[in-house]
Amino acid sequence: MAGGTLAAAEPLRLVAFGDSLTAGYGLAATDAFPAQLQAALKARGHDVVIENAGVSGDTTSAGLARLDWSIPDGTQGVIVELGANDALRGLDPAIAEASLDKILARLKERGIPVMIAGMRAPPNLGKAYQERFDPIYGRLAEKYGVPLYPFFLDGVAGQVALNQRDGIHPTPEGVKIIVANILPAVEAFIATLKPPG
């Protein structure tokens, strides 16, 4: 099918697929990660629409269970942000890895490119748990040949002023920092989605 003029081109359709950190727990919809990321990309000249497919409380297993109906046909790229709830609950990292593996395999089967946003286990779970949990994302990114943003909460985790009272969920300002930090990686990802030329 021949493409139309540039002005009539369809926007790039992405889905942010995750838990409360994507959903925007405790925030106005316009302050949530997908909305702030979309605004930041548009400000840099990218015609992108990012659907918020975040569900608060989701583990990697819960994400896997709703994967197909959360990612509509026609989606051109997915940012997967899951695993924080697995770690907060101290669930076996092998379960998180298996679920994320199946999510990536299914999206690959559907021909939808993926970028993974990594998570880190909280320090209070101890070094042994961290050593099992933290490397999951790098292993899967390598296995599937997909881009990895190593730590979704980089620059925000543990910063009292950037998190809500629970100390876990970012404030609008915290989300702004997450977006500023991840933006170059997302721009590199979407550059691979556009047709050449």
Side-chain angles (χ1 to χ4, degrees):
M1 192 168 98
T5 62
L6 198 60
E10 288 286 308
L12 197 64
R13 307 197 79 79
L14 303 183
V15 172
F17 181 69
D19 49 37
S20 57
L21 299 173
T22 291
Y25 176 87
L27 304 176
T30 51
D31 287 327
F33 169 71
Q36 286 209 40
L37 179 60
Q38 179 178 300
L41 287 166
K42 286 197 168 180
R44 291 178 61 80
H46 302 285
D47 189 13
V48 176
V49 173
I50 305 178
E51 185 180 323
N52 187 337
V55 172
S56 293
D58 259 13
T59 57
T60 52
S61 302
L64 173 61
R66 67 179 174 91
L67 178 66
D68 277 338
W69 59 261
S70 295
I71 313 289
D73 288 340
T75 299
Q76 290 161 284
V78 177
I79 299 169
V80 174
E81 174 279 306
L82 282 166
N85 289 310
D86 297 69
L88 285 172
R89 295 173 198 178
L91 302 178
D92 184 349
I95 295 171
E97 184 161 9
S99 297
L100 286 166
D101 194 319
K102 285 174 185 160
I103 286 168
L104 293 173
R106 178 65 185 137
L107 290 170
K108 184 177 182 181
E109 196 178 283
R110 289 180 62 190
I112 303 173
V114 178
M115 172 181 168
I116 309 177
M119 202 48 63
R120 289 184 189 154
N124 62 316
L125 288 172
K127 197 170 178 213
Y129 188 90
Q130 285 180 311
E131 284 173 353
R132 291 184 62 215
F133 183 88
D134 292 4
I136 287 172
Y137 299 90
R139 272 201 300 272
L140 290 173
E142 195 171 332
K143 177 177 176 178
Y144 286 93
V146 299
L148 168 70
Y149 180 70
F151 183 36
F152 185 73
L153 294 172
D154 189 29
V156 174
Q159 302 295 317
V160 176
L162 298 175
N163 285 282
Q164 297 173 46
R165 277 189 195 170
D166 61 13
I168 295 170
H169 297 99
T171 60
E173 192 56 38
V175 175
K176 192 175 175 183
I177 288 169
I178 291 169
V179 167
N181 287 339
I182 202 172
L183 194 59
V186 175
E187 284 193 296
F189 174 55
I190 64 176
T192 68
L193 308 181
K194 291 177 180 171

